[in-house]
Amino acid sequence: MKQSPQSVSLAQSSPTTGTFREDGGALEWSGRQETVRLEPWGPDGIRVRARLGGPVLPDLPGALLDAPPPSASAVKTEEGRGLLVNGAVTAEVSADGLIRFLRTDSGTELLAEERAHFWWPGARLHTATGNGYHRLEQRFRAYDDERLYGLGQHQHGLLDQKGAVVDLVQRNAEVGIPVLTSSRGYTLLWNSPAIGRVELAANGTRWVADSARQIDYWITAGSPADAQRRYTAVTGRTPMLPEWAAGFWQCKLRYRTQEELLEVARAYKRRGLPIDAIVCDFFHWTQLGDWKFDPAEWPDPAAMVRELRELGIELVVSVWPSVSPLSENHGPLEQRGFLIGTEYGPLAHADWPDKGVAEVVHVAFYDATHPGARAYLFERIRENYLEPYGIRAFWLDACEPELKPGFPANLRYHAGPGLEVGNLYPRENARAFHEGLTAAGEPDVVTLNRSAWAGSQRYGAALWSGDIGTDFATLRRQIAAGLNVALSGIPWWNTDIGGFHGGDPDDPAYREVLIRWFQFGALSPLMRLHGFRDPGMPLGPDMTGGPNEVWSYGAEAEPVLASYLRLRERLKPYVLAQMRAAHEEGLPPMRPLFLEFPADPAAWTVADAYLFGPELLVAPVLEAGARERAVYLPAGARWTDAWTGEEYAGGAEVTVSAPLERIPLFLREGAALTR
């Protein structure tokens, strides 16, 4: 078609007037050896891919499901621009290849690409790193009034991440999920598992992949709740999680023997305390990577599981992806190419203690991106846990994977080079268990993961916030972390109640932290008590931590903790209803206030309280010695104090009493705590 020279800026020394074409409902622009392809991808969604030096590549690893849900869309080219309209969002492409996203109903701008400079570089930058790979940059315009949420889980304590630079890499307690929700009414997925970062600066937003083959992202328009529905429709929804997972999980670092674990379970029952799951943690194995019980410490797992089931308790077993050279599986995995490879040096990715040796050994990791490796791993799980004992719930620890040193450029996965696909690993590790358990006929799959990536939720992956501190400042940061996870498509999230690194059960100051954290945990998507309590021990097969049961924290704490166990038990039908909403609609149980009240500007700023489902507003106490708390109640509803029955109008901040035994909790009009 004829192009208009007036549509290209004369400030550019060499203006590019590209060409448009329609291709099977997609819009393509080509110019300067770059191809940009825009496609409708689910209702109200558009996928954009850009590649230098040829057509876009169709089968690179990403988060989007292979087949998007159907949608009604239209492509139009006219002089100087191309348009792709898909429901609520419209993409406008200029003659020189710049993209703007608009609200279809009003034509107002949602998000627009912006050049870094009038000459070079443009909004999209491909800097060669060799062999068809590039350092990729995608730039968008900044907006002064914009707030930005999501991006997985981070310990910076920010809910609104405008102004932050966030690494897109997996680390213990730092989970990179590259999806961003804006107060301007759009949600954007950076559909690349490449190592990189996103810069949310005042003068622009920039997404960076350190080395990859093409730019790939997806965008939708609408309210935050609608965006969650659309995002999970194209990346997958969580399965309906089992009923036991809605209850209380007990664990510590670590129960060393079968009898020790069983005695804790029996003690909960003797005391009349609700408990639904108990965890058999690491070093229960013969060698790291054998993926089976050590009979010296766990002599009769069948009897253990049988007794736990009779008590109504599910056993959760820790499975690590690392493989010691002493393991019976190391040789077969290496020979079949099922370990993560390296560009330089041996197949050793971390040092770790193992049984039978005085010093650490250098361990490898199985390659979760390899279908054969996933099948091999789950065959060991089936042989050693599922078939003989009926164990069907697994804790997938260290699944970033926990590399030492963390040099992704030296890694070679089945799915591609480490820099291009490194963030994919935790999702594919969860996939191994989901596919294996589903094939074995297990109807409900849940795994507890220390890391995740976009789409992990479709494999039944629950996330926890990693190995974190044990003080009030750390507790405060978990609120924002959990809310950003919720906006990243992962509905099932929790923390180690009380934090992980330390905490003295006999210290009154720490007991206060534990009580306040326990209250928060009882009103979290998953409720799990864990931690490496004092006195600690050196890392190794003989280690255990201090006591970490609800009766471990003294006579004052125990009845308070017990009351919140019973509250959780009363709330289980409500929690299960939120599980159903996540499964069917993609709506998370833990919600920022603006998810339910987007029209209230103040709701977008609250980072220390949240909604648990649509009906409960939770305001954890986050300071030592505090016995009252100011809480903002969003406009658009009336609220009732769950403890006193006092009613409040929304749209204002109230200060309520918060004695040690009470977490501020409000019921939305029409709700009841016993429902």
Side-chain angles (χ1 to χ4, degrees):
M1 64 176 287
K2 182 179 178 181
Q3 303 293 331
S4 168
Q6 277 70 37
S7 64
V8 179
S9 170
L10 297 180
Q12 294 177 263
S13 59
S14 300
T16 296
T17 301
T19 58
F20 293 103
R21 77 182 185 103
E22 183 180 353
D23 178 30
L27 172 67
E28 283 196 352
W29 175 93
S30 299
R32 283 268 176 129
Q33 301 184 350
E34 184 187 33
T35 299
V36 182
R37 182 177 178 86
L38 297 89
E39 298 172 82
W41 208 269
D44 307 309
I46 292 174
R47 184 182 186 182
V48 179
R49 283 177 281 186
R51 180 172 177 242
L52 193 67
V56 299
L57 301 172
D59 298 320
L60 297 183
L64 296 171
L65 297 170
D66 292 337
S71 61
S73 61
V75 173
K76 180 168 67 172
T77 58
E78 54 192 33
E79 191 163 304
R81 67 174 188 166
L83 293 173
L84 172 59
V85 182
N86 188 20
V89 63
T90 293
E92 175 189 77
V93 187
S94 67
D96 51 349
L98 281 179
I99 304 173
R100 294 174 70 226
F101 298 99
L102 314 170
R103 295 180 188 273
T104 301
D105 57 1
S106 65
T108 56
E109 182 175 294
L110 286 166
L111 180 66
E113 291 185 324
E114 191 163 74
R115 295 187 183 92
H117 185 261
F118 68 81
W119 170 50
W120 178 89
R124 301 179 297 272
L125 178 64
H126 310 256
T127 303
T129 58
N131 300 314
Y133 286 80
H134 296 82
R135 181 182 184 275
L136 301 175
E137 296 185 12
Q138 172 68 64
R139 295 173 181 264
F140 293 108
R141 185 170 297 158
Y143 305 90
D144 290 340
D145 60 347
E146 187 171 28
R147 299 179 183 275
L148 297 166
Y149 310 89
L151 294 179
Q153 171 189 279
H154 302 281
Q155 295 298 324
H156 50 41
L158 303 172
L159 179 59
D160 173 11
Q161 295 171 83
K162 179 69 172 178
V165 175
V166 177
D167 289 340
L168 301 177
V169 66
Q170 311 296 11
R171 305 185 183 107
N172 187 343
E174 296 284 331
V175 178
I177 302 175
V179 59
L180 202 58
T181 289
S182 168
S183 60
R184 292 176 60 82
Y186 69 85
T187 288
L188 184 144
L189 165 70
W190 180 246
N191 188 40
S192 169
I195 307 300
R197 67 184 180 278
V198 58
E199 303 162 351
L200 307 175
N203 63 334
T205 291
R206 176 165 61 176
W207 295 86
V208 178
D210 288 343
S211 181
R213 282 175 281 177
Q214 70 186 13
I215 291 169
D216 188 347
Y217 64 91
W218 172 91
I219 188 170
T220 189
S223 70
D226 285 341
Q228 284 300 302
R229 294 182 178 98
R230 298 306 187 205
Y231 170 72
T232 55
V234 297
T235 60
R237 298 217 168 113
T238 184
M240 182 61 185
L241 298 189
E243 182 175 348
W244 64 263
F248 172 63
W249 302 36
Q250 168 65 46
C251 51
K252 60 167 265 186
L253 194 110
R254 71 183 173 101
Y255 299 123
R256 287 178 292 188
T257 68
Q258 176 175 325
E259 186 58 28
E260 181 183 357
L261 183 145
L262 282 172
E263 183 50 39
V264 169
R266 295 166 188 148
Y268 269 92
K269 292 300 180 178
R270 284 197 304 268
R271 294 167 181 261
L273 298 173
I275 177 173
D276 290 80
I278 193 165
V279 175
C280 174
D281 209 334
F282 67 168
F283 290 118
H284 73 268
W285 43 69
T286 44
Q287 308 289 166
L288 178 63
D290 279 353
W291 300 308
K292 63 182 179 183
F293 287 107
D294 185 342
E297 298 163 345
W298 309 86
D300 193 349
M304 173 175 61
V305 172
R306 184 168 57 250
E307 180 175 348
L308 290 172
R309 290 262 167 84
E310 290 170 354
L311 295 173
I313 301 172
E314 192 76 18
L315 180 67
V316 183
V317 174
S318 175
V319 175
W320 286 50
S322 37
V323 186
S324 165
L326 303 175
S327 168
E328 64 189 19
N329 292 310
H330 190 283
L333 286 165
E334 182 177 7
Q335 289 300 314
R336 300 179 197 185
F338 290 169
L339 297 175
I340 299 173
T342 55
E343 297 294 339
Y344 306 99
L347 298 179
H349 311 306
D351 53 13
W352 196 255
D354 204 356
K355 292 181 176 178
V357 289
E359 303 296 331
V360 296
V361 296
H362 293 280
V363 306
F365 284 77
Y366 96 101
D367 186 352
T369 74
H370 194 306
R374 292 196 300 270
Y376 181 97
L377 167 69
F378 196 80
E379 182 62 17
R380 305 289 81 73
I381 301 303
R382 185 186 63 77
E383 291 175 348
N384 297 326
Y385 298 114
L386 178 61
E387 284 194 350
Y389 312 127
I391 296 168
R392 57 199 176 190
F394 297 95
W395 178 322
L396 307 187
D397 210 340
C399 64
E400 296 82 17
E402 189 179 60
L403 306 169
K404 294 185 290 183
F407 292 158
N410 189 40
L411 303 181
R412 186 174 63 251
Y413 295 91
H414 177 77
L419 287 179
E420 185 184 31
V421 305
N423 286 319
L424 196 63
Y425 190 94
R427 190 193 76 187
E428 297 302 278
N429 188 50
R431 178 181 181 179
F433 286 79
H434 181 267
E435 291 179 341
L437 288 165
T438 301
E442 290 296 328
D444 303 310
V445 177
V446 56
T447 55
L448 182 62
N449 299 253
R450 201 172 73 185
S451 195
W453 193 66
S456 283
Q457 71 278 355
R458 67 181 181 246
Y459 299 123
L463 178 67
W464 96 92
S465 62
D467 297 349
I468 54 175
T470 54
D471 56 13
F472 273 108
T474 302
L475 171 57
R476 174 180 286 274
R477 289 194 292 270
Q478 303 321 297
I479 310 301
L483 291 173
N484 280 315
V485 165
L487 293 172
S488 302
I490 309 291
W492 304 114
W493 175 87
N494 65 115
T495 68
D496 293 346
I497 290 176
F500 179 78
H501 291 295
D504 182 354
D506 293 327
D507 178 5
Y510 179 67
R511 288 178 175 178
E512 183 181 8
V513 173
L514 188 283
I515 289 170
R516 292 305 194 186
W517 210 313
F518 202 90
Q519 293 167 347
F520 164 57
L523 294 160
S524 295
L526 298 179
M527 182 186 187
R528 184 181 54 86
L529 179 60
H530 185 55
F532 186 23
R533 301 290 171 254
D534 295 339
M537 295 175 65
L539 179 65
D542 297 326
M543 73 184 303
T544 186
N548 192 47
E549 293 72 45
V550 297
W551 53 86
S552 306
Y553 294 93
E556 181 184 15
E558 182 178 353
V560 178
L561 304 183
S563 72
Y564 281 89
L565 285 179
R566 296 186 179 101
L567 173 62
R568 180 71 177 199
E569 193 70 11
R570 289 166 58 199
L571 286 173
K572 277 176 74 174
Y574 180 76
V575 174
L576 289 166
Q578 307 320 309
M579 287 185 176
R580 178 66 62 185
H583 170 57
E584 294 180 349
E585 296 186 67
L587 294 179
M590 185 175 177
R591 304 177 182 181
L593 302 190
F594 61 77
L595 196 79
E596 291 286 328
F597 299 95
D600 181 354
W604 293 80
T605 68
V606 176
D608 61 355
Y610 59 94
L611 291 164
F612 189 40
E615 297 182 349
L616 303 181
L617 193 157
V618 186
V621 176
L622 304 171
E623 296 178 5
R627 296 298 182 264
E628 63 178 20
R629 210 234 78 178
V631 184
Y632 179 75
L633 303 176
R638 291 189 61 81
W639 301 91
T640 300
D641 187 313
W643 311 118
T644 68
E646 187 169 355
E647 293 188 7
Y648 300 92
E653 184 177 271
V654 299
T655 297
V656 296
S657 177
L660 188 60
E661 68 275 9
R662 185 187 302 171
I663 183 174
L665 178 64
F666 295 86
L667 309 177
R668 193 171 179 171
E669 54 189 314
L673 197 56
T674 54
R675 180 173 299 174

